[in-house]
Structures are given as C-alpha cells and as structure tokens.
Amino acid sequence: MDLGVSSPQIDNPMRGFSFKQDGELDMRMDQSQNLTAHYIVNNFDEKELAFIFKEYGEERFSKKISRSIVEYRENHKPIDTTLELSKVISQSVPKKDPNKDPATRVFQALRIRVNDELNDLQACLPKAFDYLKNNGRLAIISFHSLEDRIVKNFVKSKLKTDLIPKNIPIRASDIQKPEIMMIGKVIEPSDLEVKHNPRARSAKLRVIERLAN
C-alpha cells in the first residue's frame, strides 16, 4: 500500500492540488464525487475550517487562517483558485521556514478532508490483512504523521496477545499468539534518495507478516 498522492495528479494544475500552480480549487481524487475543496473553502464556517486545518493538517495557525479566509470571501469574492487561496494563507501567517510554503499544511488538510483519506485507510487496513495467507506480507508506505499513526496503531493491535493484567497466573500455552510479526524496522529514505526525490523525505515503510495460527 503506497499512501502517497500520485505525482502526476499533484503536478496537474487542473486538479487543484498544487499551491504553486494556478488552477481551480478541486482536489477530488474521484471526479464523480460532489464535495470539492472549492465548496469547503467557500461554504464552511470559520470554526469548521479551523478544525479541518488543525485536525488534518496539524496547522499551528489554523484559527488565524480560517478567519482570514472567511473575511476575504465576505469582503471580496469567493476564493476560486489555488493561488488565490495560497495568497490568503501566506498573508495571514508568519513565514518562518523559507523551504516550506505556508500553504503546505492547509492544502494537505483540504485534500484529506475532500477525499476522506483517513477513514478510507482505517477501513482498508483490516480488509487488506484479511486477504493475506499465512506468511503473506503487507508493506505500507505512509507519508505524514496522521496516516502513519493509523498504520502504527493497526500494527500494534495485531501484535497484542492478550489484555490480562500482570501477575495473573496463566499458562504460556493459554496466551493467544500475536497475529503478525514485524519484518525489520521502520524503513526511511536515505539522504541520497531524498536528494533525488524530495517528496520521499517523510516516507516510512512498515512491513508485517501474517503468522500461521
């Protein structure tokens, strides 16, 4: 499972994922669905926007950005394009990191919300595991902390053997065996890989193997 967004989609300005190229605010993976980033940005209230930016983008300035968006659309017009939104965000927060655009986290949050990515991941992991045969392996690459946390918690749940309190006498043979084992440690990209492919900088690869019961 490669949880990263397709680069051709990001690089296509018409899909609305990029804050570096102008295009309509869309961000739908499935173009047949109704919900778009344009609808969220121009119709959700300040509190709802702040929640999305904080929850799905871990944005420190979520309240300030959401207030700026609401004020802009009330005093000017709807925010129709990616560069319009990026400009509103940039003007509302201090730019401390010259290597990271201030719009990065907000665009991530909108993309996740539009496509319901985290709920899809939570639903998909147990289904993928059910398809594994004994000694079959599942490899998962995550790219940001939110999805990585879901993957990590799923792995932990499969490693648990019991919920029996300590010091309760029980035979070892009666303890349920874990359903999986980890294959190696979490794998992260090397400096050389990041140099050739900067989008891989936050990637984490976990591999689990289903154990025979």
Side-chain angles (χ1 to χ4, degrees):
M1 299 174 65
D2 181 349
L3 305 181
V5 183
S6 166
S7 290
Q9 287 185 330
I10 293 178
D11 296 336
N12 182 354
M14 301 306 295
R15 299 300 298 274
F17 292 104
S18 176
F19 46 75
K20 295 182 179 179
Q21 303 180 75
D22 205 16
E24 292 184 9
L25 271 175
D26 192 327
M27 298 196 190
R28 292 174 297 171
M29 302 288 187
D30 177 1
Q31 301 254 286
S32 68
Q33 76 175 43
N34 293 321
L35 184 64
T36 65
H38 183 277
Y39 183 86
I40 292 175
V41 168
N42 290 291
N43 291 277
F44 282 27
D45 63 31
E46 185 177 323
K47 188 176 181 180
E48 290 174 313
L49 290 173
F51 174 82
I52 290 171
F53 302 155
K54 181 71 174 179
E55 186 75 7
Y56 301 132
E58 299 179 307
E59 173 55 63
R60 290 172 51 205
F61 302 103
S62 56
K63 292 182 179 179
K64 195 170 184 179
I65 292 171
S66 60
R67 190 175 305 119
S68 295
I69 289 174
V70 172
E71 288 176 354
Y72 183 90
R73 73 191 194 198
E74 287 178 349
N75 298 327
H76 297 81
K77 60 171 185 172
I79 300 174
D80 293 324
T81 71
T82 54
L83 289 189
E84 278 185 273
L85 177 58
S86 180
K87 184 177 180 181
V88 172
I89 296 169
S90 297
Q91 292 176 344
S92 61
V93 299
K95 188 174 182 179
K96 294 184 177 180
D97 186 351
N99 298 316
K100 192 167 187 177
D101 193 290
T104 301
R105 293 183 181 275
V106 171
F107 271 65
Q108 171 188 296
L110 286 170
R111 192 201 76 226
I112 290 173
R113 176 63 180 83
V114 167
N115 298 287
D116 202 19
E117 294 178 26
L118 300 185
N119 285 331
D120 280 352
L121 176 59
Q122 286 179 317
C124 184
L125 285 170
K127 290 182 180 180
F129 180 77
D130 287 343
Y131 276 105
L132 290 180
K133 294 182 178 180
N134 290 337
N135 304 120
R137 293 183 178 183
L138 178 61
I140 310 163
I141 307 175
S142 59
F143 284 85
H144 57 75
S145 59
L146 297 174
E147 60 190 18
D148 188 61
R149 191 178 304 134
I150 291 172
V151 175
K152 189 161 49 178
N153 288 338
F154 174 77
V155 171
K156 282 184 178 179
S157 72
K158 293 299 180 184
L159 286 170
K160 280 185 178 180
T161 56
D162 63 77
L163 299 174
I164 301 172
K166 290 182 179 180
N167 302 320
I168 299 296
I170 186 172
R171 292 177 299 183
S173 59
D174 291 332
I175 299 177
Q176 181 181 346
K177 294 180 180 179
E179 294 183 86
I180 66 166
M181 70 174 179
M182 287 287 297
I183 303 299
K185 297 180 179 180
V186 177
I187 301 172
E188 299 183 12
S190 65
D191 291 339
L192 181 60
E193 182 176 356
V194 172
K195 182 178 179 180
H196 289 293
N197 180 20
R199 287 176 177 169
R201 64 185 178 277
S202 59
K204 291 184 178 180
L205 170 62
R206 287 182 170 82
V207 183
I208 60 173
E209 180 174 308
R210 182 167 196 159
L211 298 177
N213 293 323

